[in-house]
Amino acid sequence: MAREQLEESIVADGNGKEEEVGVMGIGAADGADDPHGGGKLSMKSLLWHGGSVWDAWFSCASNQVAQVLLTLPYSFSQLGMLSGVLLQIFYGFLGSWTAYLISVLYVEYRSRKEKEGVNFKNHVIQWFEVLDGLLGPYWKAAGLAFNCTFLLFGSVIQLIACASNIYYINDRLDKRTWTYIFGACCATTVFIPSFHNYRIWSFLGLGMTTYTAWYLAIAALINGQVEGVSHTGPSKLVLYFTGATNILYTFGGHAVTVEIMHAMWKPAKFKYIYLLATLYVFTLTLPSAAAMYWAFGDELLTHSNAFSLLPKTGWRDAAVILMLIHQFITFGFACTPLYFVWEKVIGMHDTKSLFKRALARLPIVVPIWFLAIIFPFFGPINSAVGALLVSFTVYIIPSLAHILTYRTASARMNAAEKPPFFLPSWTGMFVLNAFIVVWVLVVGFGLGGWASMVNFIRQIDTFGLFAKCYQCPKPPVPAAPAPLPHH
């Protein structure tokens, strides 16, 4: 059967559930991209029902860079300008390749299941299920463990970032108190059914990130270099590999690739979307990080949040507020796959009641809230998560899974997706995948894990667990009263 007949695309109905439509327009009105639209554009479909190529692009780009935008200048101070730029480009393309592999494996899994007559109505396919269908239960367990732990800490990081950012507008409350407040706010994401329903949020989120990135670049250039600025990076191996791992984390945001694909009306069109999203993200991350490092240099080593070095203005306050909203959106992106897993565990995934599903999801938010209060180390926690979790979740496991799925001649002959036009050889693909596995295992997990954990433990020794206000300026010591004159 042709691939067009094997694949399906998914469209959300009002309850966030799905109905099946042929991927190349079978069942859709005249092959329209949105089978629900039928040529008519309603406000509900405009804001709520997303599944086009553009929706997927906005979701990928919006999800890829959020709070990490504020920590990249800190990484540049650890790496130096040249390494910072080169590693961003290197890991950007590496991440795009492994996102492509994930999309290929999703199409392969779905094609095989549809040949067996499996119906995915009311079921969201996730990465661990793809691994289970293609490689067996041990791979499912590994995928589930790494993916869920990464998404859990990804949500924790967004919550920490919210508290870190709002402090620069209102410092009357400490960062821990702000974490309590934003934890309650982010809990409302339980009411967003699936990635279909992030259409308007993805669009707005990317606009907010774009404003913040260009604010950082322009404000740093206008502010100019601070007096006595120095650029000594890279100075220590620990700092170098910590910074490198934060960049690996930056371009490893595709732990939700399968869920974004599944939300598309035509998932087969996803293949190069992540690469196109990464190219746009380069225009945000490179100018902002380079300009901030040029202006502030080594000062960034003790200021992991770029906002902390820029003067308080209306432009900065606007950037902080926009980033707060975007972090709320990204929290939802990271948590939604966790909600799906939890629903499947407790047997609530097929429930049509949005309110019942929302109540069932609430227990997921509690440990995220708690961990954000224990480890409020904005910046260093990114590198630790990158080395220990992202390295496996989105680099090593997809590369190994692709090699093993297509290791036999019959699997390659019957593959739903053939090698891409720019690398038309199976051997070439396997060599590239093997390089990624070795590189990320040695440099990302090995050296990066060592460096980021040393740095992370240093933060615990300096600030302690449950730190009330991480990296907050110390209040001025009141001057001693003048001695009374003696007569």
Side-chain angles (χ1 to χ4, degrees):
M1 295 172 69
R3 191 182 71 217
E4 291 86 346
Q5 294 170 301
L6 290 174
E7 294 166 1
E8 298 166 338
S9 62
I10 306 300
V11 180
D13 66 17
N15 292 320
K17 289 301 185 182
E18 290 87 19
E19 65 185 59
E20 299 174 21
V21 184
V23 73
M24 300 308 289
I26 302 169
D30 300 324
D33 223 16
D34 178 359
H36 263 313
K40 298 175 184 177
L41 186 67
S42 69
M43 186 57 70
K44 185 178 179 182
S45 68
L46 183 67
L47 301 179
W48 191 246
H49 283 152
S52 68
V53 169
W54 281 106
D55 287 310
W57 183 85
F58 276 114
S59 292
C60 288
S62 176
N63 184 52
Q64 193 171 6
V65 59
Q67 53 74 35
V68 78
L69 190 69
L70 307 175
T71 65
L72 284 173
Y74 166 67
S75 296
F76 267 50
S77 69
Q78 297 169 321
L79 292 163
M81 187 73 81
L82 180 63
S83 288
V85 171
L86 291 178
L87 281 172
Q88 274 206 43
I89 294 169
F90 175 71
Y91 280 122
F93 285 116
L94 217 61
S96 299
W97 174 254
T98 53
Y100 169 79
L101 297 180
I102 291 170
S103 72
V104 167
L105 293 171
Y106 169 88
V107 170
E108 183 67 38
Y109 166 77
R110 191 152 180 184
S111 300
R112 291 184 187 182
K113 288 296 178 184
E114 285 162 9
K115 285 179 181 177
E116 297 167 9
V118 176
N119 187 320
F120 290 110
K121 187 175 182 179
N122 292 342
H123 184 92
V124 177
I125 297 172
Q126 294 188 268
W127 175 229
F128 69 90
E129 292 168 317
V130 172
L131 291 172
D132 185 27
L134 296 177
L135 297 171
Y138 292 112
W139 281 85
K140 173 187 176 179
L144 190 59
F146 278 110
N147 220 38
C148 288
T149 312
F150 167 43
L151 291 168
L152 182 78
F153 277 96
S155 305
V156 169
I157 288 168
Q158 298 308 324
L159 203 47
I160 294 169
C162 285
S164 178
N165 289 345
I166 192 66
Y167 183 79
Y168 297 112
I169 290 183
N170 184 337
D171 59 5
R172 288 191 291 276
L173 298 177
D174 58 74
K175 290 181 181 178
R176 189 167 66 195
T177 304
W178 280 119
T179 305
Y180 293 137
I181 294 168
F182 278 100
C185 295
C186 289
T188 58
T189 57
V190 297
F191 290 100
I192 301 178
S194 74
F195 282 100
H196 289 290
N197 312 115
Y198 276 95
R199 164 171 271 188
I200 189 65
W201 295 113
S202 297
F203 175 75
L204 292 175
L206 191 58
M208 294 165 186
T209 314
T210 301
Y211 171 88
T212 304
W214 285 105
Y215 159 74
L216 292 176
I218 294 167
L221 293 173
I222 291 173
N223 192 67
Q225 289 187 312
V226 295
E227 189 176 344
V229 66
S230 59
H231 300 85
T232 59
S235 57
K236 296 179 182 175
L237 275 178
V238 168
L239 294 179
Y240 187 86
F241 286 109
T242 302
T245 311
N246 188 38
I247 293 179
L248 176 144
Y249 168 83
T250 303
F251 294 98
H254 42 288
V256 295
T257 300
V258 169
E259 288 83 359
I260 292 173
M261 277 189 77
H262 194 83
M264 290 180 70
W265 295 313
K266 298 176 183 176
K269 290 188 174 184
F270 183 87
K271 286 185 291 187
Y272 303 120
I273 287 174
Y274 197 88
L275 174 62
L276 297 174
T278 299
L279 293 176
Y280 179 78
V281 166
F282 282 152
T283 69
L284 307 181
T285 57
L286 289 169
S288 59
M292 285 293 296
Y293 181 54
W294 169 82
F296 297 101
D298 291 346
E299 272 192 56
L300 286 159
L301 287 169
T302 52
H303 295 80
S304 56
N305 190 325
F307 283 142
S308 63
L309 289 172
L310 293 167
K312 184 175 173 61
T313 63
W315 296 104
R316 192 189 78 164
D317 287 353
V320 170
I321 291 166
L322 291 176
M323 281 304 287
L324 285 172
I325 299 169
H326 186 236
Q327 279 150 8
F328 166 80
I329 297 165
T330 311
F331 181 94
F333 264 110
C335 254
T336 299
L338 293 176
Y339 297 152
F340 291 157
V341 173
W342 180 244
E343 287 170 1
K344 290 170 185 177
V345 168
I346 63 173
M348 293 285 285
H349 191 57
D350 295 333
T351 303
K352 291 192 179 292
S353 169
L354 180 59
F355 185 70
K356 287 181 182 177
R357 291 176 73 198
L359 282 178
R361 291 171 169 190
L362 276 175
I364 296 296
V365 180
V366 176
I368 293 168
W369 211 349
F370 188 62
L371 287 167
I373 294 163
I374 298 178
F375 304 117
F377 311 129
F378 184 66
I381 194 172
N382 291 16
S383 297
V385 170
L388 305 178
L389 298 172
V390 175
S391 55
F392 283 94
T393 304
V394 296
Y395 292 99
I396 294 173
I397 290 178
S399 300
L400 279 176
H402 188 272
I403 291 172
L404 294 175
T405 299
Y406 297 110
R407 65 189 181 278
T408 64
S410 62
R412 294 192 293 273
M413 187 184 304
N414 298 314
E417 289 282 353
K418 301 302 180 188
F421 70 92
F422 55 86
L423 191 62
S425 156
W426 286 104
T427 305
M429 289 186 79
F430 292 166
V431 168
L432 179 54
N433 291 344
F435 166 77
I436 291 171
V437 171
V438 173
W439 175 273
V440 175
L441 198 59
V442 174
V443 178
F445 177 70
L447 296 171
W450 160 73
S452 58
M453 288 312 296
V454 166
N455 191 35
F456 193 75
I457 292 166
R458 191 176 294 153
Q459 305 304 313
I460 295 175
D461 292 341
T462 306
F463 297 96
L465 298 175
F466 298 96
K468 192 171 184 180
C469 207
Y470 176 66
Q471 285 189 342
C472 295
K474 293 179 181 176
V477 179
L484 294 172
H486 292 284
H487 294 292

